[in-house]
Amino acid sequence: MVLKAFFPTCCTSADSGLLVGRWVPEQNSAVVLAVVHFPFIPIQVKELLAQVQQASQVGLAVVGTWCHRQQESEESLGHFLEGLGTIFSHNPWLQLCRERGSKFWSCKATHHQGPGIAGVSREDHVILIFYDQRKVLLSYLHPPTILPDGQARDATASSEGLAAIFDTVSRSEVLFCKDQFDEGPVRLSHWQSEGVEASIFMELAKQASGPVCLLVTCLLSLVSAASACRLWKLWPLPFIASKLSTCEQLHHRLEHLTLVFSTQKAQSPAQLMRKANMLVSMLLDVALGLTLLSWLHSNNRIGQLADALIPMADHVAEELQHLLQWLMGAPAGLKMNRALDQVLGRFFLYHIHLWISYIHLMSPFIERILWHVGLSACLGLTVALSILSDILALLTFHIYCFYVYGARLYCLKICGLSSLWRLFRGKKWNVLRQRVDSCSYDLDQLFIGTLLFTILVFLLPTTALYYLVFTLLRLLVVTVQGLIHLLVDLINSLPLYSLGLRLCRPYRLAVAVESRTFAQSYFHRAAEL
Amino acid sequence: MEDERIFSDICGGRLALQRRYYSSFCREFCVSCPRLSLRSLTSVTCTVWLVAYGLFTLCENSTILSAAIFITVLGLLGYLHFVKIDQETLLIIDSLGIQMTSSYASGKENTTFIEMDKVKDIVINEAIYMQKVIYYLCILLKDPREPQKISQVVPVFQSAKPRLDCLIEVYKSCQEVLAHQKATTTRS
């Protein structure tokens, strides 16, 4: 089978030395992680490999030799490198060679058949694949599967081909921690050998995140303990709280905060992304809320809003009164039953009158209330929007009441009609058997039943019209509330961090591989990954 | 080793197939479609501008003319960047995988890589396309956990749509590589 050798692009110009990496037998590939330069002591190299293996659970070994020589052939180096094959025995033994300044590479992989058969070694075709170590390490290409009973992670190498290769690279981060300026017994070359990459902000953030998380978790636990106290369980408070969307949103936000500032590290890249998304969306929310707050509290907007609120409520009530007067007359040319019309119309008009009086009672306090509610925008735009939706619900409470009355009346009418229709046909609803049975009625039962049925049928258009009108009004209010809730949900759930990552650092979200082939050298194919 | 041959696509247009044999287990096939013809470009632009001029004489509003120019330019850029595919390449490397690249007229390249573990076979299939029955080359994918079932069918050279003679050339080469790969897998 063809042997695949994965070689990091950063080591193509490194000096001669030993290749250190991992052999993956299921894929018949060797993943080279770093190059160890001369001079070295074999014992120290073996110690270093054992240390890294213990820290990262990746089976590292010396897989071959790397020879980067000048134009004039250095035969002694070649012999020396071959001799190393006996010290670090590995099957198969990879020998990569490149002449300085030329594009040509030569790769050889030799298998030793065994101690009994001396001097017979099998050579395979080799595909040399270059990979960018930095991008592989920073992307989430490795399989996120976590075995349920915590077996050794080496077992997952057999699945998912290339992902296993890249998983090896990502788990060997420990090997890349030392750069060429560190004084160690062994000199390595890898993507960080010019200097370990780090950002001072990230380091400071990492140091600060521990105590900050602890502090915030304590505060949050206090808040949740206070909210779980028995006082809030007295009726009707839970009922009201379940109807108000503000309470729901605050509860939601509390959950998010607990998750983001939990002291446990994220188990998998997916969880990390979720936490990051939540944090970014909360920050955006608070930023937008503060903008709204500053806009509201400038230019006396609160006063203007309060001044506009009462006339608006009055206007709505007036429009409703006009609508009811219209219904009490001959709406759209339909002829209504005068008596029922007048009763329903007067009933609803009285309600509106009560509502208007209530609003006028509240009018001195509106500005104060609005001012304090405006302060809540600093908790986030979503909270402000939820409060807006609740205020809308409270202000249109009378429409809700009308809808309930209309719906109840209509429901009663329909129930009565269906039952009397069955009587008209001589049938009855059998509650025990949950079906319609025939029944013989007495004459006076039939007579009264038919009379009532006729009355209800003739009153049907009136009730139906009232029901229709108030349902439409209620639908309008519900649509507006629904739009506000949609906006709130959008802010809550938009994954802004992932979107930003996709735009600015797309390789971190890479899940695929692109390869380009280039010039060949003899019969060995080189491909760049 | 490289060679180039001329074939035709299902509509009769001219296609060029470039084959590169890097080694016995690595081959690349490149199908190039005809470039954007000047005639069609001029005709579309002229139609759009004549319609805009007609509307202008009706409405006497010069924003229609500038809007028409804007739309033409944007439409052309969008077409070159998102629609017009110049070249489609299939790279097959034994024991590594198959890579398909489409390069657009604006220079954008779209790559898809399929690992060899997931590839079951490469076949030529028939399909009913509008009023024609055409042949297309496709890669059958399998789930490594269920090697008997076909999980997906990925068609190749979808926008170039070469005819059967071109597809047979590509098919034969790919089958050689796959046979070589299967032989070495069963041996090891």
Side-chain angles (χ1 to χ4, degrees):
Chain A
M1 197 168 153
V2 178
L3 192 139
K4 296 181 286 233
F6 289 84
F7 193 74
T9 42
C10 45
C11 297
T12 49
S13 51
D15 290 332
S16 315
L18 285 177
L19 295 171
V20 160
R22 181 175 172 228
W23 169 249
V24 184
E26 295 87 6
Q27 311 292 327
N28 209 31
S29 17
V31 186
V32 174
L33 295 168
V35 176
V36 174
H37 297 296
F38 307 117
F40 57 83
I41 305 175
I43 305 281
Q44 286 177 337
V45 173
K46 287 189 184 164
E47 262 176 28
L48 172 73
L49 290 179
Q51 269 175 12
V52 175
Q53 188 161 348
Q54 205 180 24
S56 64
Q57 312 290 330
V58 175
L60 288 185
V62 176
V63 295
T65 57
W66 161 244
C67 178
H68 192 197
R69 57 185 184 202
Q70 310 293 339
Q71 290 286 14
E72 57 275 14
S73 57
E74 299 166 359
E75 288 298 331
S76 54
L77 189 62
H79 286 309
F80 174 58
L81 287 174
E82 279 178 25
L84 284 173
T86 49
I87 308 177
F88 299 101
S89 55
H90 188 264
N91 207 6
W93 185 249
L94 205 60
Q95 285 166 297
L96 298 175
C97 183
R98 180 187 171 196
E99 301 200 6
R100 215 174 269 275
S102 111
K103 280 196 300 181
F104 290 125
W105 293 60
S106 92
C107 338
K108 246 188 336 180
T110 46
H111 283 265
H112 296 288
Q113 300 291 36
I117 311 163
V120 175
S121 47
R122 187 171 48 121
E123 281 200 19
D124 285 335
H125 283 302
V126 179
I127 298 182
L128 188 64
I129 301 168
F130 296 110
Y131 70 97
D132 189 336
Q133 263 184 341
R134 177 168 182 270
K135 291 214 174 133
V136 169
L137 263 171
L138 291 180
S139 83
Y140 294 125
L141 206 56
H142 20 282
T145 50
I146 300 174
L147 293 171
D149 43 13
Q151 293 160 4
R153 303 245 249 135
D154 248 76
T156 57
S158 57
S159 60
E160 288 142 46
L162 283 176
I165 308 285
F166 298 125
D167 185 43
T168 310
V169 177
S170 73
R171 281 195 277 142
S172 321
E173 259 189 86
V174 173
L175 189 64
F176 305 133
C177 283
K178 292 202 170 28
D179 56 20
Q180 65 190 15
F181 305 108
D182 282 335
E183 301 290 335
V186 178
R187 212 162 48 100
L188 286 174
S189 231
H190 47 75
W191 70 285
Q192 280 190 331
S193 53
E194 304 287 317
V196 174
E197 266 192 21
S199 150
I200 195 157
F201 292 119
M202 295 302 295
E203 295 300 313
L204 284 175
K206 276 189 200 154
Q207 295 296 324
S209 66
V212 165
C213 282
L214 269 176
L215 184 67
V216 178
T217 325
C218 289
L219 284 172
L220 286 174
S221 56
L222 278 174
V223 170
S224 31
S227 68
C229 105
R230 297 280 290 272
L231 201 62
W232 302 115
K233 301 273 190 289
L234 296 172
W235 199 92
L237 286 173
F239 176 71
I240 298 179
S242 66
K243 294 286 175 213
L244 287 178
S245 58
T246 318
C247 295
E248 200 186 307
Q249 178 61 21
L250 284 172
H251 188 66
H252 224 60
R253 275 283 176 246
L254 201 67
E255 265 177 25
H256 286 177
L257 274 174
T258 335
L259 184 64
V260 170
F261 287 108
S262 74
T263 41
Q264 271 182 327
K265 264 180 86 73
Q267 306 286 38
S268 67
Q271 265 199 350
L272 185 69
M273 296 289 273
R274 204 178 303 144
K275 274 180 139 182
N277 280 333
M278 266 190 231
L279 185 65
V280 171
S281 75
M282 272 203 292
L283 287 174
L284 179 76
D285 193 19
V286 170
L288 285 174
L290 287 172
T291 327
L292 181 70
L293 190 74
S294 66
W295 179 80
L296 268 181
H297 283 255
S298 71
N299 271 1
N300 197 20
R301 290 240 168 74
I302 301 265
Q304 287 174 358
L305 210 66
D307 286 338
L309 205 63
I310 303 290
M312 203 161 56
D314 275 343
H315 179 73
V316 169
E318 242 183 73
E319 289 299 313
L320 269 178
Q321 278 175 334
H322 283 312
L323 183 70
L324 283 168
Q325 299 285 7
W326 180 67
L327 282 177
M328 288 197 335
L334 295 168
K335 193 141 192 297
M336 304 263 101
N337 179 289
R338 180 144 306 266
L340 184 63
D341 225 354
Q342 298 282 337
V343 161
L344 286 176
R346 290 226 185 91
F347 178 62
F348 290 136
L349 275 172
Y350 180 61
H351 250 203
I352 295 179
H353 175 78
L354 275 178
W355 186 253
I356 290 298
S357 330
Y358 170 66
I359 294 277
H360 281 274
L361 208 71
M362 288 261 295
S363 57
F365 309 113
I366 291 280
E367 189 171 341
R368 278 287 111 196
I369 294 176
L370 272 182
W371 194 89
H372 286 291
V373 157
L375 274 186
S376 73
C378 69
L379 286 174
L381 184 68
T382 44
V383 178
L385 284 175
S386 319
I387 292 184
L388 177 70
S389 143
D390 287 335
I391 289 179
L392 186 70
L394 281 176
L395 283 180
T396 53
F397 191 62
H398 49 323
I399 296 184
Y400 175 64
C401 285
F402 290 169
Y403 162 71
V404 169
Y405 299 149
R408 279 264 174 265
L409 217 61
Y410 185 70
C411 184
L412 275 173
K413 172 153 282 190
I414 293 294
C415 278
L417 268 178
S418 54
S419 156
L420 289 172
W421 170 247
R422 276 184 233 120
L423 179 138
F424 202 61
R425 286 158 51 224
K427 299 218 188 287
K428 194 178 84 156
W429 174 254
N430 191 340
V431 185
L432 232 61
R433 300 259 178 125
Q434 297 288 316
R435 64 170 188 207
V436 179
D437 275 342
S438 62
C439 167
S440 57
Y441 290 100
D442 299 336
L443 193 63
D444 46 354
Q445 279 177 332
L446 275 176
F447 184 60
I448 306 258
T450 316
L451 258 177
L452 284 173
F453 177 72
T454 330
I455 293 174
L456 284 178
V457 161
F458 287 135
L459 289 179
L460 185 64
T462 318
T463 339
L465 193 72
Y466 272 93
Y467 173 63
L468 186 71
V469 168
F470 291 133
T471 312
L472 285 174
L473 276 176
R474 173 88 187 128
L475 265 178
L476 189 69
V477 173
V478 164
T479 314
V480 175
Q481 271 194 303
L483 283 172
I484 298 180
H485 285 166
L486 192 71
L487 195 59
V488 167
D489 281 337
L490 197 72
I491 301 181
N492 267 345
S493 56
L494 202 62
L496 289 165
Y497 179 69
S498 308
L499 282 174
L501 215 57
R502 176 75 183 93
L503 287 173
C504 307
R505 304 235 186 293
Y507 54 82
R508 293 208 73 152
L509 294 174
V511 282
V513 150
E514 181 183 335
S515 66
R516 281 197 301 270
T517 59
F518 59 147
Q520 65 165 359
S521 128
Y522 309 112
F523 28 73
H524 299 293
R525 193 85 201 87
E528 181 181 352
L529 213 65
Chain B
M1 182 183 84
E2 254 189 60
D3 71 350
E4 187 169 330
R5 283 180 60 181
I6 308 290
F7 290 99
S8 59
D9 70 7
I10 55 172
C11 302
R14 184 179 164 278
L15 283 182
L17 173 71
Q18 233 185 2
R19 284 183 300 190
R20 291 195 200 102
Y21 281 6
Y22 295 118
S23 83
S24 67
F25 50 84
C26 180
R27 297 183 192 183
E28 192 172 9
F29 306 98
C30 188
V31 175
S32 2
C33 313
R35 308 259 171 189
L36 183 66
S37 77
L38 205 55
R39 198 187 305 173
S40 62
L41 180 65
T42 351
S43 57
V44 169
T45 319
C46 286
T47 335
V48 172
W49 284 357
L50 278 174
V51 165
Y53 191 69
L55 282 173
F56 169 68
T57 43
L58 281 172
C59 306
E60 305 292 333
N61 194 357
S62 65
T63 47
I64 293 180
L65 292 177
S66 24
I69 296 176
F70 204 53
I71 289 172
T72 323
V73 170
L74 277 184
L76 181 67
L77 286 175
Y79 178 70
L80 289 179
H81 194 72
F82 295 111
V83 177
K84 180 89 185 74
I85 294 184
D86 259 351
Q87 224 182 43
E88 284 184 307
T89 315
L90 181 75
L91 171 69
I92 178 164
I93 305 181
D94 176 21
S95 83
L96 193 63
I98 302 181
Q99 175 174 283
M100 294 167 298
T101 317
S102 320
S103 34
Y104 290 81
S106 64
K108 174 172 101 158
E109 278 187 12
N110 214 358
T111 347
T112 320
F113 184 79
I114 303 173
E115 291 178 27
M116 210 35 116
D117 281 343
K118 295 206 179 93
V119 172
K120 188 158 198 263
D121 205 359
I122 295 185
V123 295
I124 297 183
N125 238 353
E126 281 178 324
I128 299 179
Y129 179 72
M130 305 281 236
Q131 79 285 15
K132 298 196 259 263
V133 174
I134 60 165
Y135 296 95
Y136 66 99
L137 190 71
C138 57
I139 306 177
L140 301 176
L141 300 186
K142 65 175 193 248
D143 199 356
R145 283 170 296 206
E146 282 178 80
Q148 301 310 318
K149 284 198 196 169
I150 296 174
S151 71
Q152 222 186 336
V153 173
V154 179
V156 180
F157 302 137
Q158 266 190 301
S159 76
K161 297 196 194 70
R163 286 198 178 164
L164 190 61
D165 41 8
C166 176
L167 291 179
I168 287 179
E169 295 286 336
V170 180
Y171 172 77
K172 280 190 189 150
S173 293
C174 290
Q175 285 296 330
E176 278 169 21
V177 173
L178 284 182
H180 182 257
Q181 194 245 331
K182 282 197 178 86
T184 45
T185 330
T186 48
R187 200 188 333 140
S188 65

